[in-house]
Amino acid sequence: MTVLVWNYLHEYEAERKDILAAVETVFASGKLVLGPSVSAFEAEFAAHHGVAHGVGVDNGTNAIKLALQALGVGPGDEVITVSNTAAPTVVAIDAVGATPVFVDVRAEDYLMDTTAVAAAITPRTKALLPVHLYGQCVEMEPLLALAREHGLVVLEDCAQAHGARHRGRIAGSMGEAAAFSFYPTKVLGAYGDGGAVITGDDTTAANLRRARYYGMEKTYYVVETPGHNSRLDEVQAEILRRKLGRLDEYVAGRRAVAARYAEGLADTDLVLPAVADGNEHVYYVYVVRHPRRDDIIEALKAHDIALNISYPWPVHTMSGFAHLGYAAGSLPVTEKLAGEIFSLPMYPSLPVDVQDRVIEALRSVLASL
Ligand SMILES: *Cc1c(COP(=O)(O)O)cnc(C)c1O
């Protein structure tokens, strides 16, 4: 069987009873939309982060979009972020009519180069949008200081960093708000789409609750500011509640896979993931780097191992964002990394013998280059 970068079927086998019990709980509850499971998950997810409010939404992209709107970001505003992220980070900025402004990343750990942010701030800058990429946090202290100094809001993109910590603080608890995705591959994944925003601010939370529900405060009520329908599904919320209780186990499982790779590949010329100072990494993806990346991926196909690249195209080089005017070479580190990075299979239920197969195959491919 082909080894894939991600596969949920082992997890489903192990958790099947609980997942199906979640479905039964909701179907038998008499309340299929915005019912007790969504409310409970919102409260539990917020409490897990030590933050006052959680608002469940339909996916991570809309979590970012609605959070930006709730924080007052709109047409004409600039939002500073990175280009080596999943396209939805930038799509969401575009969706509120704001302009994404990209800074480069650090070659060692692929995270936002916070020393480049000050120079990117203009009178139009409204928000900083750090992406806790691949499972570890951006250096938040300099960003929070700049935000205070310039009156900006900070929205954390936590879609890849459930449970990650930075100097003891959990990802999502450091900015004005944080957006999460529960897309199935994520560290906390649903059995379908899902997302959430957490925030400590009462007004932001109230804005979000209305925005995901047509703009209404409650059922059969008036719309003051028109919103959309971006509700988190009740079944997904019940599944997520149960899986939230296992998040620490999932993270421990990912760290064990990462440790096995690190040991098995230490003496090769692959560049392995570096954990930044003060960070606790959750390994959403295990990204390695090599100048002959394309040859390695091709050769591994003969071993029945199919690898991915997260992400092959920096967002500023995509045709859909050509109007932003970033020429080739404008984000040199981001662009160089995109040509060299690739991801090894990573999920907590990845069998040990498969991990070893990946290590052996990679070693033999690297030796034959
Ligand atoms: C997955 C992801 C998103 C989007 O989440 P969806 O639930 O797929 O909409 C946004 N940002 C990052 C960094 C992601 O990895």
Side-chain angles (χ1 to χ4, degrees), residues 32-263:
L32 295 172
V33 174
L34 289 189
S37 295
V38 167
S39 312
F41 174 68
E42 289 175 336
E44 290 157 6
F45 194 66
H48 184 83
H49 293 87
V51 164
H53 307 282
V55 181
V57 297
D58 48 353
N59 57 61
T61 311
N62 283 336
I64 300 169
K65 180 184 134 190
L66 295 172
L68 287 171
Q69 279 171 340
L71 292 167
V73 179
D77 296 331
E78 292 176 356
V79 177
I80 298 175
T81 191
V82 289
S83 178
N84 68 338
T85 182
T89 309
V90 184
V91 168
I93 296 170
D94 182 75
V96 305
T99 302
V101 173
F102 301 115
V103 295
D104 214 345
V105 297
R106 309 194 290 204
E108 319 81 77
D109 52 24
Y110 322 140
L111 296 169
M112 175 185 262
D113 179 359
T114 55
T115 65
V117 173
I121 295 173
T122 75
R124 289 171 174 255
T125 307
K126 188 76 188 256
L128 306 180
L129 208 174
V131 179
H132 300 319
L133 195 74
Y134 303 153
Q136 67 173 332
C137 292
V138 169
E139 188 75 43
M140 290 298 288
E141 294 78 3
L143 291 187
L144 296 170
L146 281 172
R148 268 194 304 275
E149 189 185 328
H150 295 271
L152 312 174
V153 293
V154 177
L155 172 64
E156 302 175 65
D157 183 341
C158 293
Q160 305 191 356
H162 312 70
R165 285 179 183 271
H166 177 66
R167 303 194 198 289
R169 298 172 76 184
I170 191 162
S173 67
M174 295 174 274
E176 266 71 32
F180 288 84
S181 165
F182 307 118
Y183 184 74
T185 62
K186 308 292 184 183
V187 178
L188 180 61
Y191 277 70
D193 276 309
V197 182
I198 59 174
T199 179
D201 184 66
D202 298 351
T203 308
T204 305
N207 286 344
L208 282 161
R209 284 185 199 291
R210 282 191 300 268
R212 66 138 181 224
Y213 190 50
Y214 319 125
M216 297 195 317
E217 199 77 51
K218 55 189 180 195
T219 312
Y220 305 120
Y221 203 62
V222 297
V223 170
E224 285 168 4
T225 306
H228 273 280
N229 178 354
S230 277
R231 299 180 290 240
L232 175 62
D233 182 75
E234 188 73 0
V235 173
Q236 299 303 339
E238 184 58 33
I239 291 171
L240 287 165
R241 287 187 71 189
R242 291 158 188 252
K243 290 190 70 175
L244 180 59
R246 297 191 283 270
L247 179 56
D248 291 347
E249 272 170 51
Y250 298 144
V251 169
R254 286 173 179 275
R255 286 184 180 141
V257 177
R260 198 168 186 90
Y261 283 150
E263 197 189 324

